[in-house]
Amino acid sequence: MTGQKKVPFVTFLTRVRDDSVQGPNPYRWEERTSDDYFAGKRVILFSLPGAFTPTCSTYQLPNFEDLYEEFKKEGVDAIYCLSVNDAFVMNAWGKSLGLQKVELIPDGSGEFTRKMGMLVAKDNLGFGMRSWRYAALVNDGVVEQWFEEEGFSDNCETDPYGVSSPQNVLHKLKIAA
């Protein structure tokens, strides 16, 4: 998936902090589209099976956060982590990890993931439909480089991780520069 493959146009339902909202949960709904995230920007998008899951929480997301400045040096404007989880879960996950740099995108219905061709069943783990693990360099909405873990399949018995790791993606960016 390289060349002129464009990311699909979808609307994401996000929750954003709004101090004008009264009560213990000062957040409001905000619709953001693919264009909001990808138009006119060179970004890293990575997707993973689920918030709070071991590999995602221990390695992949924290390492993208830690290497953020290195990606910026390679001309990356933003790094997005997408998961088939709702906005509440994604916000809680980001807060639990103390994220400051990587932005989380909730694909609660899996529409973006399905249109990317990356939706897989994870019923063997009790997850339902989720994203296969991948990363991409996206320039103005067009996929320039693609990093997909091996073994794409429903109910995969393993959780491959390496091709889409931030270390590998950064290495490939530096080689291509």
Side-chain angles (χ1 to χ4, degrees), residues 116-149:
M116 286 291 283
M118 290 287 105
L119 195 64
V120 293
K122 292 273 190 184
D123 298 317
N124 60 326
L125 299 175
F127 286 4
M129 301 303 288
R130 294 296 178 103
S131 180
W132 188 254
R133 194 183 300 278
Y134 70 90
L137 173 64
V138 181
N139 193 354
D140 195 23
V142 177
V143 175
E144 284 191 352
Q145 291 188 48
W146 184 252
F147 307 90
E148 180 180 327
E149 297 298 338

PDB file of all heavy atoms in Angstrom, residues 116-149:
ATOM      1  N   MET A 116      -9.162   1.153   5.439  1.00  0.00           N
ATOM      2  CA  MET A 116      -7.725   0.970   5.196  1.00  0.00           C
ATOM      3  C   MET A 116      -7.414  -0.492   4.856  1.00  0.00           C
ATOM      4  O   MET A 116      -6.290  -0.816   4.485  1.00  0.00           O
ATOM      5  CB  MET A 116      -6.898   1.384   6.421  1.00  0.00           C
ATOM      6  CG  MET A 116      -6.797   2.871   6.652  1.00  0.00           C
ATOM      7  SD  MET A 116      -5.827   3.758   5.415  1.00  0.00           S
ATOM      8  CE  MET A 116      -4.156   3.359   5.927  1.00  0.00           C
ATOM      9  N   GLY A 117      -8.401  -1.378   5.041  1.00  0.00           N
ATOM     10  CA  GLY A 117      -8.177  -2.797   4.783  1.00  0.00           C
ATOM     11  C   GLY A 117      -7.466  -3.504   5.917  1.00  0.00           C
ATOM     12  O   GLY A 117      -6.890  -4.571   5.729  1.00  0.00           O
ATOM     13  N   MET A 118      -7.514  -2.934   7.111  1.00  0.00           N
ATOM     14  CA  MET A 118      -6.757  -3.466   8.243  1.00  0.00           C
ATOM     15  C   MET A 118      -7.621  -4.002   9.385  1.00  0.00           C
ATOM     16  O   MET A 118      -7.111  -4.328  10.445  1.00  0.00           O
ATOM     17  CB  MET A 118      -5.827  -2.363   8.793  1.00  0.00           C
ATOM     18  CG  MET A 118      -4.685  -2.004   7.867  1.00  0.00           C
ATOM     19  SD  MET A 118      -3.410  -3.284   7.823  1.00  0.00           S
ATOM     20  CE  MET A 118      -3.722  -4.051   6.239  1.00  0.00           C
ATOM     21  N   LEU A 119      -8.936  -4.108   9.163  1.00  0.00           N
ATOM     22  CA  LEU A 119      -9.828  -4.593  10.220  1.00  0.00           C
ATOM     23  C   LEU A 119      -9.769  -6.119  10.281  1.00  0.00           C
ATOM     24  O   LEU A 119      -9.926  -6.794   9.258  1.00  0.00           O
ATOM     25  CB  LEU A 119     -11.261  -4.128   9.938  1.00  0.00           C
ATOM     26  CG  LEU A 119     -12.251  -4.229  11.094  1.00  0.00           C
ATOM     27  CD1 LEU A 119     -11.849  -3.319  12.253  1.00  0.00           C
ATOM     28  CD2 LEU A 119     -13.648  -3.873  10.614  1.00  0.00           C
ATOM     29  N   VAL A 120      -9.501  -6.662  11.453  1.00  0.00           N
ATOM     30  CA  VAL A 120      -9.446  -8.112  11.655  1.00  0.00           C
ATOM     31  C   VAL A 120     -10.253  -8.490  12.893  1.00  0.00           C
ATOM     32  O   VAL A 120     -10.422  -7.690  13.811  1.00  0.00           O
ATOM     33  CB  VAL A 120      -7.989  -8.624  11.824  1.00  0.00           C
ATOM     34  CG1 VAL A 120      -7.195  -8.465  10.540  1.00  0.00           C
ATOM     35  CG2 VAL A 120      -7.283  -7.950  12.986  1.00  0.00           C
ATOM     36  N   ALA A 121     -10.716  -9.715  12.895  1.00  0.00           N
ATOM     37  CA  ALA A 121     -11.407 -10.253  14.069  1.00  0.00           C
ATOM     38  C   ALA A 121     -10.369 -10.644  15.113  1.00  0.00           C
ATOM     39  O   ALA A 121      -9.354 -11.257  14.797  1.00  0.00           O
ATOM     40  CB  ALA A 121     -12.241 -11.466  13.679  1.00  0.00           C
ATOM     41  N   LYS A 122     -10.641 -10.283  16.339  1.00  0.00           N
ATOM     42  CA  LYS A 122      -9.808 -10.673  17.477  1.00  0.00           C
ATOM     43  C   LYS A 122     -10.688 -11.357  18.518  1.00  0.00           C
ATOM     44  O   LYS A 122     -10.524 -11.175  19.719  1.00  0.00           O
ATOM     45  CB  LYS A 122      -9.129  -9.436  18.085  1.00  0.00           C
ATOM     46  CG  LYS A 122      -8.087  -8.790  17.204  1.00  0.00           C
ATOM     47  CD  LYS A 122      -6.764  -9.440  17.429  1.00  0.00           C
ATOM     48  CE  LYS A 122      -5.628  -8.695  16.774  1.00  0.00           C
ATOM     49  NZ  LYS A 122      -4.383  -9.431  16.957  1.00  0.00           N
ATOM     50  N   ASP A 123     -11.663 -12.125  18.019  1.00  0.00           N
ATOM     51  CA  ASP A 123     -12.607 -12.802  18.908  1.00  0.00           C
ATOM     52  C   ASP A 123     -11.900 -13.798  19.830  1.00  0.00           C
ATOM     53  O   ASP A 123     -12.357 -14.051  20.943  1.00  0.00           O
ATOM     54  CB  ASP A 123     -13.690 -13.518  18.095  1.00  0.00           C
ATOM     55  CG  ASP A 123     -14.520 -12.541  17.275  1.00  0.00           C
ATOM     56  OD1 ASP A 123     -14.880 -11.475  17.809  1.00  0.00           O
ATOM     57  OD2 ASP A 123     -14.779 -12.838  16.100  1.00  0.00           O
ATOM     58  N   ASN A 124     -10.770 -14.341  19.371  1.00  0.00           N
ATOM     59  CA  ASN A 124     -10.019 -15.282  20.202  1.00  0.00           C
ATOM     60  C   ASN A 124      -9.489 -14.624  21.476  1.00  0.00           C
ATOM     61  O   ASN A 124      -9.169 -15.307  22.441  1.00  0.00           O
ATOM     62  CB  ASN A 124      -8.871 -15.917  19.406  1.00  0.00           C
ATOM     63  CG  ASN A 124      -7.881 -14.886  18.877  1.00  0.00           C
ATOM     64  OD1 ASN A 124      -8.240 -13.764  18.521  1.00  0.00           O
ATOM     65  ND2 ASN A 124      -6.617 -15.266  18.810  1.00  0.00           N
ATOM     66  N   LEU A 125      -9.439 -13.297  21.490  1.00  0.00           N
ATOM     67  CA  LEU A 125      -9.005 -12.552  22.685  1.00  0.00           C
ATOM     68  C   LEU A 125     -10.164 -11.824  23.350  1.00  0.00           C
ATOM     69  O   LEU A 125      -9.962 -11.066  24.300  1.00  0.00           O
ATOM     70  CB  LEU A 125      -7.913 -11.541  22.306  1.00  0.00           C
ATOM     71  CG  LEU A 125      -6.629 -12.126  21.720  1.00  0.00           C
ATOM     72  CD1 LEU A 125      -5.689 -11.010  21.283  1.00  0.00           C
ATOM     73  CD2 LEU A 125      -5.942 -13.042  22.721  1.00  0.00           C
ATOM     74  N   GLY A 126     -11.378 -12.010  22.816  1.00  0.00           N
ATOM     75  CA  GLY A 126     -12.530 -11.325  23.367  1.00  0.00           C
ATOM     76  C   GLY A 126     -12.612  -9.867  22.961  1.00  0.00           C
ATOM     77  O   GLY A 126     -13.318  -9.086  23.596  1.00  0.00           O
ATOM     78  N   PHE A 127     -11.892  -9.464  21.903  1.00  0.00           N
ATOM     79  CA  PHE A 127     -11.844  -8.072  21.478  1.00  0.00           C
ATOM     80  C   PHE A 127     -12.897  -7.716  20.446  1.00  0.00           C
ATOM     81  O   PHE A 127     -13.206  -6.546  20.275  1.00  0.00           O
ATOM     82  CB  PHE A 127     -10.486  -7.743  20.842  1.00  0.00           C
ATOM     83  CG  PHE A 127      -9.327  -7.610  21.793  1.00  0.00           C
ATOM     84  CD1 PHE A 127      -9.443  -7.850  23.141  1.00  0.00           C
ATOM     85  CD2 PHE A 127      -8.088  -7.243  21.296  1.00  0.00           C
ATOM     86  CE1 PHE A 127      -8.360  -7.731  23.984  1.00  0.00           C
ATOM     87  CE2 PHE A 127      -6.999  -7.116  22.133  1.00  0.00           C
ATOM     88  CZ  PHE A 127      -7.136  -7.359  23.474  1.00  0.00           C
ATOM     89  N   GLY A 128     -13.367  -8.682  19.672  1.00  0.00           N
ATOM     90  CA  GLY A 128     -14.210  -8.341  18.528  1.00  0.00           C
ATOM     91  C   GLY A 128     -13.344  -7.848  17.384  1.00  0.00           C
ATOM     92  O   GLY A 128     -12.193  -8.248  17.241  1.00  0.00           O
ATOM     93  N   MET A 129     -13.875  -6.934  16.580  1.00  0.00           N
ATOM     94  CA  MET A 129     -13.146  -6.413  15.427  1.00  0.00           C
ATOM     95  C   MET A 129     -12.165  -5.326  15.878  1.00  0.00           C
ATOM     96  O   MET A 129     -12.544  -4.404  16.597  1.00  0.00           O
ATOM     97  CB  MET A 129     -14.119  -5.856  14.381  1.00  0.00           C
ATOM     98  CG  MET A 129     -15.111  -6.880  13.855  1.00  0.00           C
ATOM     99  SD  MET A 129     -14.364  -8.363  13.125  1.00  0.00           S
ATOM    100  CE  MET A 129     -13.709  -7.685  11.603  1.00  0.00           C
ATOM    101  N   ARG A 130     -10.920  -5.459  15.431  1.00  0.00           N
ATOM    102  CA  ARG A 130      -9.861  -4.519  15.812  1.00  0.00           C
ATOM    103  C   ARG A 130      -8.929  -4.271  14.633  1.00  0.00           C
ATOM    104  O   ARG A 130      -9.042  -4.896  13.591  1.00  0.00           O
ATOM    105  CB  ARG A 130      -9.044  -5.077  16.993  1.00  0.00           C
ATOM    106  CG  ARG A 130      -9.816  -5.205  18.292  1.00  0.00           C
ATOM    107  CD  ARG A 130     -10.274  -3.837  18.813  1.00  0.00           C
ATOM    108  NE  ARG A 130     -11.045  -3.961  20.019  1.00  0.00           N
ATOM    109  CZ  ARG A 130     -10.572  -3.706  21.234  1.00  0.00           C
ATOM    110  NH1 ARG A 130      -9.334  -3.311  21.393  1.00  0.00           N
ATOM    111  NH2 ARG A 130     -11.337  -3.847  22.286  1.00  0.00           N
ATOM    112  N   SER A 131      -7.963  -3.415  14.849  1.00  0.00           N
ATOM    113  CA  SER A 131      -6.984  -3.113  13.807  1.00  0.00           C
ATOM    114  C   SER A 131      -5.822  -4.080  13.865  1.00  0.00           C
ATOM    115  O   SER A 131      -5.359  -4.459  14.949  1.00  0.00           O
ATOM    116  CB  SER A 131      -6.443  -1.691  13.968  1.00  0.00           C
ATOM    117  OG  SER A 131      -5.499  -1.410  12.960  1.00  0.00           O
ATOM    118  N   TRP A 132      -5.350  -4.457  12.676  1.00  0.00           N
ATOM    119  CA  TRP A 132      -4.071  -5.138  12.573  1.00  0.00           C
ATOM    120  C   TRP A 132      -2.999  -4.090  12.880  1.00  0.00           C
ATOM    121  O   TRP A 132      -3.201  -2.891  12.658  1.00  0.00           O
ATOM    122  CB  TRP A 132      -3.895  -5.706  11.169  1.00  0.00           C
ATOM    123  CG  TRP A 132      -2.684  -6.575  11.056  1.00  0.00           C
ATOM    124  CD1 TRP A 132      -1.508  -6.266  10.436  1.00  0.00           C
ATOM    125  CD2 TRP A 132      -2.521  -7.882  11.602  1.00  0.00           C
ATOM    126  NE1 TRP A 132      -0.624  -7.303  10.555  1.00  0.00           N
ATOM    127  CE2 TRP A 132      -1.222  -8.315  11.279  1.00  0.00           C
ATOM    128  CE3 TRP A 132      -3.346  -8.735  12.347  1.00  0.00           C
ATOM    129  CZ2 TRP A 132      -0.719  -9.557  11.659  1.00  0.00           C
ATOM    130  CZ3 TRP A 132      -2.848  -9.965  12.722  1.00  0.00           C
ATOM    131  CH2 TRP A 132      -1.555 -10.369  12.386  1.00  0.00           C
ATOM    132  N   ARG A 133      -1.866  -4.526  13.371  1.00  0.00           N
ATOM    133  CA  ARG A 133      -0.793  -3.600  13.738  1.00  0.00           C
ATOM    134  C   ARG A 133      -0.040  -3.152  12.468  1.00  0.00           C
ATOM    135  O   ARG A 133       0.455  -3.973  11.710  1.00  0.00           O
ATOM    136  CB  ARG A 133       0.166  -4.290  14.715  1.00  0.00           C
ATOM    137  CG  ARG A 133       1.116  -3.349  15.412  1.00  0.00           C
ATOM    138  CD  ARG A 133       2.088  -4.114  16.320  1.00  0.00           C
ATOM    139  NE  ARG A 133       1.436  -4.877  17.356  1.00  0.00           N
ATOM    140  CZ  ARG A 133       1.012  -4.388  18.514  1.00  0.00           C
ATOM    141  NH1 ARG A 133       1.146  -3.096  18.770  1.00  0.00           N
ATOM    142  NH2 ARG A 133       0.446  -5.165  19.420  1.00  0.00           N
ATOM    143  N   TYR A 134       0.006  -1.830  12.268  1.00  0.00           N
ATOM    144  CA  TYR A 134       0.725  -1.268  11.125  1.00  0.00           C
ATOM    145  C   TYR A 134       1.144   0.158  11.438  1.00  0.00           C
ATOM    146  O   TYR A 134       0.690   0.751  12.417  1.00  0.00           O
ATOM    147  CB  TYR A 134      -0.137  -1.289   9.841  1.00  0.00           C
ATOM    148  CG  TYR A 134      -1.301  -0.326   9.846  1.00  0.00           C
ATOM    149  CD1 TYR A 134      -1.156   0.982   9.374  1.00  0.00           C
ATOM    150  CD2 TYR A 134      -2.555  -0.707  10.332  1.00  0.00           C
ATOM    151  CE1 TYR A 134      -2.220   1.873   9.378  1.00  0.00           C
ATOM    152  CE2 TYR A 134      -3.620   0.180  10.341  1.00  0.00           C
ATOM    153  CZ  TYR A 134      -3.449   1.467   9.859  1.00  0.00           C
ATOM    154  OH  TYR A 134      -4.500   2.347   9.871  1.00  0.00           O
ATOM    155  N   ALA A 135       1.996   0.705  10.597  1.00  0.00           N
ATOM    156  CA  ALA A 135       2.366   2.116  10.649  1.00  0.00           C
ATOM    157  C   ALA A 135       2.493   2.612   9.216  1.00  0.00           C
ATOM    158  O   ALA A 135       2.659   1.812   8.286  1.00  0.00           O
ATOM    159  CB  ALA A 135       3.684   2.309  11.403  1.00  0.00           C
ATOM    160  N   ALA A 136       2.393   3.919   9.044  1.00  0.00           N
ATOM    161  CA  ALA A 136       2.511   4.505   7.713  1.00  0.00           C
ATOM    162  C   ALA A 136       3.053   5.916   7.817  1.00  0.00           C
ATOM    163  O   ALA A 136       2.777   6.630   8.779  1.00  0.00           O
ATOM    164  CB  ALA A 136       1.148   4.524   7.019  1.00  0.00           C
ATOM    165  N   LEU A 137       3.834   6.285   6.807  1.00  0.00           N
ATOM    166  CA  LEU A 137       4.197   7.682   6.619  1.00  0.00           C
ATOM    167  C   LEU A 137       3.169   8.225   5.641  1.00  0.00           C
ATOM    168  O   LEU A 137       3.027   7.707   4.530  1.00  0.00           O
ATOM    169  CB  LEU A 137       5.608   7.815   6.039  1.00  0.00           C
ATOM    170  CG  LEU A 137       6.022   9.236   5.637  1.00  0.00           C
ATOM    171  CD1 LEU A 137       6.064  10.157   6.853  1.00  0.00           C
ATOM    172  CD2 LEU A 137       7.370   9.213   4.932  1.00  0.00           C
ATOM    173  N   VAL A 138       2.424   9.247   6.067  1.00  0.00           N
ATOM    174  CA  VAL A 138       1.350   9.817   5.261  1.00  0.00           C
ATOM    175  C   VAL A 138       1.679  11.280   4.988  1.00  0.00           C
ATOM    176  O   VAL A 138       1.905  12.048   5.923  1.00  0.00           O
ATOM    177  CB  VAL A 138      -0.014   9.702   5.984  1.00  0.00           C
ATOM    178  CG1 VAL A 138      -1.132  10.277   5.125  1.00  0.00           C
ATOM    179  CG2 VAL A 138      -0.309   8.240   6.355  1.00  0.00           C
ATOM    180  N   ASN A 139       1.720  11.635   3.706  1.00  0.00           N
ATOM    181  CA  ASN A 139       2.039  13.002   3.306  1.00  0.00           C
ATOM    182  C   ASN A 139       0.829  13.601   2.601  1.00  0.00           C
ATOM    183  O   ASN A 139       0.453  13.139   1.523  1.00  0.00           O
ATOM    184  CB  ASN A 139       3.269  13.013   2.390  1.00  0.00           C
ATOM    185  CG  ASN A 139       3.824  14.406   2.193  1.00  0.00           C
ATOM    186  OD1 ASN A 139       3.247  15.402   2.636  1.00  0.00           O
ATOM    187  ND2 ASN A 139       4.946  14.492   1.512  1.00  0.00           N
ATOM    188  N   ASP A 140       0.211  14.596   3.228  1.00  0.00           N
ATOM    189  CA  ASP A 140      -0.973  15.260   2.683  1.00  0.00           C
ATOM    190  C   ASP A 140      -2.056  14.239   2.303  1.00  0.00           C
ATOM    191  O   ASP A 140      -2.675  14.331   1.253  1.00  0.00           O
ATOM    192  CB  ASP A 140      -0.595  16.131   1.482  1.00  0.00           C
ATOM    193  CG  ASP A 140      -1.711  17.109   1.106  1.00  0.00           C
ATOM    194  OD1 ASP A 140      -2.565  17.438   1.963  1.00  0.00           O
ATOM    195  OD2 ASP A 140      -1.743  17.528  -0.070  1.00  0.00           O
ATOM    196  N   GLY A 141      -2.248  13.261   3.170  1.00  0.00           N
ATOM    197  CA  GLY A 141      -3.304  12.271   2.969  1.00  0.00           C
ATOM    198  C   GLY A 141      -2.933  11.100   2.090  1.00  0.00           C
ATOM    199  O   GLY A 141      -3.744  10.199   1.879  1.00  0.00           O
ATOM    200  N   VAL A 142      -1.707  11.080   1.553  1.00  0.00           N
ATOM    201  CA  VAL A 142      -1.261   9.995   0.672  1.00  0.00           C
ATOM    202  C   VAL A 142      -0.214   9.148   1.395  1.00  0.00           C
ATOM    203  O   VAL A 142       0.744   9.675   1.974  1.00  0.00           O
ATOM    204  CB  VAL A 142      -0.671  10.551  -0.643  1.00  0.00           C
ATOM    205  CG1 VAL A 142      -0.139   9.422  -1.522  1.00  0.00           C
ATOM    206  CG2 VAL A 142      -1.715  11.367  -1.401  1.00  0.00           C
ATOM    207  N   VAL A 143      -0.398   7.834   1.363  1.00  0.00           N
ATOM    208  CA  VAL A 143       0.541   6.917   2.005  1.00  0.00           C
ATOM    209  C   VAL A 143       1.831   6.868   1.189  1.00  0.00           C
ATOM    210  O   VAL A 143       1.816   6.484   0.018  1.00  0.00           O
ATOM    211  CB  VAL A 143      -0.067   5.505   2.129  1.00  0.00           C
ATOM    212  CG1 VAL A 143       0.962   4.525   2.691  1.00  0.00           C
ATOM    213  CG2 VAL A 143      -1.318   5.535   3.004  1.00  0.00           C
ATOM    214  N   GLU A 144       2.942   7.258   1.815  1.00  0.00           N
ATOM    215  CA  GLU A 144       4.250   7.229   1.154  1.00  0.00           C
ATOM    216  C   GLU A 144       5.051   5.985   1.500  1.00  0.00           C
ATOM    217  O   GLU A 144       5.767   5.457   0.665  1.00  0.00           O
ATOM    218  CB  GLU A 144       5.077   8.458   1.535  1.00  0.00           C
ATOM    219  CG  GLU A 144       4.659   9.718   0.842  1.00  0.00           C
ATOM    220  CD  GLU A 144       5.660  10.848   1.051  1.00  0.00           C
ATOM    221  OE1 GLU A 144       6.616  10.715   1.857  1.00  0.00           O
ATOM    222  OE2 GLU A 144       5.482  11.885   0.392  1.00  0.00           O
ATOM    223  N   GLN A 145       4.963   5.569   2.756  1.00  0.00           N
ATOM    224  CA  GLN A 145       5.651   4.350   3.192  1.00  0.00           C
ATOM    225  C   GLN A 145       4.689   3.559   4.066  1.00  0.00           C
ATOM    226  O   GLN A 145       3.916   4.135   4.837  1.00  0.00           O
ATOM    227  CB  GLN A 145       6.925   4.673   3.973  1.00  0.00           C
ATOM    228  CG  GLN A 145       8.031   5.270   3.127  1.00  0.00           C
ATOM    229  CD  GLN A 145       9.332   5.379   3.916  1.00  0.00           C
ATOM    230  OE1 GLN A 145       9.763   4.431   4.562  1.00  0.00           O
ATOM    231  NE2 GLN A 145       9.956   6.550   3.864  1.00  0.00           N
ATOM    232  N   TRP A 146       4.770   2.234   3.968  1.00  0.00           N
ATOM    233  CA  TRP A 146       3.836   1.335   4.647  1.00  0.00           C
ATOM    234  C   TRP A 146       4.609   0.304   5.443  1.00  0.00           C
ATOM    235  O   TRP A 146       5.551  -0.303   4.926  1.00  0.00           O
ATOM    236  CB  TRP A 146       2.946   0.674   3.603  1.00  0.00           C
ATOM    237  CG  TRP A 146       1.872  -0.196   4.156  1.00  0.00           C
ATOM    238  CD1 TRP A 146       1.826  -1.561   4.100  1.00  0.00           C
ATOM    239  CD2 TRP A 146       0.675   0.222   4.824  1.00  0.00           C
ATOM    240  NE1 TRP A 146       0.680  -2.010   4.709  1.00  0.00           N
ATOM    241  CE2 TRP A 146      -0.042  -0.938   5.151  1.00  0.00           C
ATOM    242  CE3 TRP A 146       0.158   1.467   5.177  1.00  0.00           C
ATOM    243  CZ2 TRP A 146      -1.267  -0.901   5.819  1.00  0.00           C
ATOM    244  CZ3 TRP A 146      -1.056   1.508   5.842  1.00  0.00           C
ATOM    245  CH2 TRP A 146      -1.752   0.344   6.149  1.00  0.00           C
ATOM    246  N   PHE A 147       4.221   0.093   6.692  1.00  0.00           N
ATOM    247  CA  PHE A 147       4.894  -0.835   7.604  1.00  0.00           C
ATOM    248  C   PHE A 147       3.850  -1.749   8.239  1.00  0.00           C
ATOM    249  O   PHE A 147       3.256  -1.386   9.256  1.00  0.00           O
ATOM    250  CB  PHE A 147       5.632  -0.056   8.701  1.00  0.00           C
ATOM    251  CG  PHE A 147       6.570   0.996   8.182  1.00  0.00           C
ATOM    252  CD1 PHE A 147       6.116   2.295   7.957  1.00  0.00           C
ATOM    253  CD2 PHE A 147       7.886   0.697   7.926  1.00  0.00           C
ATOM    254  CE1 PHE A 147       6.981   3.278   7.484  1.00  0.00           C
ATOM    255  CE2 PHE A 147       8.767   1.675   7.452  1.00  0.00           C
ATOM    256  CZ  PHE A 147       8.302   2.966   7.222  1.00  0.00           C
ATOM    257  N   GLU A 148       3.624  -2.891   7.648  1.00  0.00           N
ATOM    258  CA  GLU A 148       2.583  -3.818   8.123  1.00  0.00           C
ATOM    259  C   GLU A 148       3.221  -5.049   8.736  1.00  0.00           C
ATOM    260  O   GLU A 148       4.114  -5.662   8.140  1.00  0.00           O
ATOM    261  CB  GLU A 148       1.698  -4.226   6.948  1.00  0.00           C
ATOM    262  CG  GLU A 148       0.578  -5.180   7.320  1.00  0.00           C
ATOM    263  CD  GLU A 148      -0.278  -5.565   6.119  1.00  0.00           C
ATOM    264  OE1 GLU A 148      -0.452  -4.718   5.218  1.00  0.00           O
ATOM    265  OE2 GLU A 148      -0.776  -6.696   6.091  1.00  0.00           O
ATOM    266  N   GLU A 149       2.748  -5.420   9.909  1.00  0.00           N
ATOM    267  CA  GLU A 149       3.250  -6.633  10.551  1.00  0.00           C
ATOM    268  C   GLU A 149       2.844  -7.866   9.746  1.00  0.00           C
ATOM    269  O   GLU A 149       1.793  -7.885   9.103  1.00  0.00           O
ATOM    270  CB  GLU A 149       2.726  -6.739  11.991  1.00  0.00           C
ATOM    271  CG  GLU A 149       3.190  -5.624  12.890  1.00  0.00           C
ATOM    272  CD  GLU A 149       4.700  -5.538  13.097  1.00  0.00           C
ATOM    273  OE1 GLU A 149       5.421  -6.552  12.893  1.00  0.00           O
ATOM    274  OE2 GLU A 149       5.184  -4.445  13.460  1.00  0.00           O
TER     275      GLU A 149
END
